[in-house]
Amino acid sequence: MPVVTSTAPAGLITWLETQLPRLIDDVRAATCDRIALYRDEKIVPRDDLHRSIAVNLRFMVAALAGDDVDAAPEETGSRRAHQGAPLPEVLQVYRIGCAMLWDVMVDRARNHGGPGATDALVDLASRLWQVTDDHAVRLTEAYRATSAELLVSQQRRRSALAEALFTGQRVLNSGPWEAGKLLGLSLDGKLAVVAAETRGLAEESLIGVERRLARLGIVSAWQLTPTLQAGVVSLRDDQRDPMLTVLQDVAVARAGVSPLYRSLVETPRALHLARTALAGLPPGKPEVRAFGSSPLAAFLAYDPDEGQRLAVDVLGAVLDQPAEERDILLETLHAYITCGGSSDRAAQALHCHANTVRYRLRRIKELTGRSLTDPRAVAELVTAAQAIRLAPGRRDPGA
């Protein structure tokens, strides 16, 4: 910007410099009067506001004179972003200062200026608008850049805290309750863990899930690794189904959901169950699968290899049958167990006659040597059937 050389504009600028202390106080008073944010000092202390107004008004007057100036707009924008002051209110202070600076200049030219005062005001007008526009742009860019940095930092911190919950790791002598509190998770409500495979290397498959859940009043915290996107979700009793709906809407890859639990200490266990539910889905199809509430299913999930050995010992002869017969027998056994040992209800679920169910159950008895009237045999068959359904690639674990 060219240096002011004509006498009249230079004289007006010199006079402005003498008026700055009073103008700074007036702008601060007007700001506190018009903007509630600056009245209570919770975000921006009064002394900080005064200093900022002083620095920026001096910046503007120096810029009008064509002097080299410092980074006042950038410093203000960055500082207010760190303090959490909303950008519209920050810019409103700037507009108040600009308007009052202009009013002082107009009053001086009209009432106290000598010959050429009006011409001096006109000469400075276009320069003032250029300065104010440049000032606002630089302040806004600095505010947004700092806000973006803070957001990234906050996301990294939330991810690190979520990782501490998933691993059960204590950080700086702080346990899961401290991490949960910092994440905003309920300490007396219910929780669930979501585990979704990434659709590419470290590429989210539940895009925007935290924001979508927040719209429903559901707090969550997420961590992204090269192969997994995992989250801890805080829920009320009536929020589980809405959560599942959101997951189904946003999922572009397989995702598993743990049973509900209450203590943050159980988060590593819940993550394991969510991953087990995920592993049970067929690859390549975006689908959400909730792990059932069966304690037996959860028990087997912690030692799947032993569960598979048990399944082979108990149901090996069934598993050796041709695929079509094997699947029919396993489906019938599962329906019979799910329906509380009722052949009639299992038949309704399978859309066949009750006698067909009874025939298939007799076939299972022949192949396994285990009767569904023997409590010990029933326990073994139920456990083996559950272990098979927990195997990767099968559906509805713990159903």
Side-chain angles (χ1 to χ4, degrees), residues 15-69:
W15 176 83
L16 275 175
E17 291 173 347
T18 66
Q19 301 301 305
L20 279 175
R22 179 178 177 182
L23 180 60
I24 290 166
D25 290 339
D26 290 345
V27 171
R28 185 183 69 169
T31 296
C32 294
D33 181 61
R34 300 179 196 178
I35 308 175
L37 171 73
Y38 294 99
R39 280 199 295 271
D40 59 20
E41 299 189 70
K42 291 180 180 178
I43 296 179
V44 181
R46 195 67 55 84
D47 289 343
D48 188 2
L49 175 63
H50 186 275
R51 172 188 168 277
S52 177
I53 291 172
V55 167
N56 285 280
L57 282 175
R58 291 193 174 98
F59 164 90
M60 294 178 65
V61 172
L64 286 175
D67 297 339
D68 291 332
V69 293

Side-chain angles (χ1 to χ4, degrees), residues 254-390:
R254 299 182 299 169
V257 182
S258 76
L260 296 178
Y261 64 103
R262 287 191 176 275
S263 174
L264 286 165
V265 175
E266 299 178 48
T267 301
R269 171 182 178 273
L271 175 62
H272 178 77
L273 297 180
R275 298 186 71 160
T276 301
L278 164 63
L281 288 169
K285 183 180 179 182
E287 191 172 348
V288 177
R289 180 187 193 189
F291 197 100
S293 58
S294 167
L296 176 59
F299 179 78
L300 290 171
Y302 263 83
D303 195 347
D305 292 337
E306 186 61 31
Q308 292 309 301
R309 283 191 289 271
L310 182 149
V312 171
D313 287 345
V314 175
L315 291 171
V318 174
L319 299 174
D320 289 340
Q321 299 305 303
E324 183 177 0
E325 181 180 2
R326 176 198 65 205
D327 291 345
I328 288 175
L329 292 177
L330 290 176
E331 182 183 30
T332 300
L333 178 59
H334 176 70
Y336 180 77
I337 294 169
T338 302
C339 293
S342 169
S343 297
D344 292 335
R345 288 165 54 197
Q348 293 176 0
L350 296 170
H351 305 290
C352 65
H353 196 278
N355 286 337
T356 302
V357 171
R358 295 185 184 98
Y359 167 77
R360 294 172 184 173
L361 294 175
R362 285 196 298 271
R363 177 67 175 149
I364 292 172
K365 177 183 177 181
E366 292 173 2
L367 291 170
T368 64
R370 289 172 170 82
S371 170
L372 288 169
T373 59
D374 178 357
R376 179 175 296 180
V378 169
E380 292 175 349
L381 287 168
V382 169
T383 304
Q386 185 68 74
I388 290 173
R389 299 190 73 82
L390 283 173

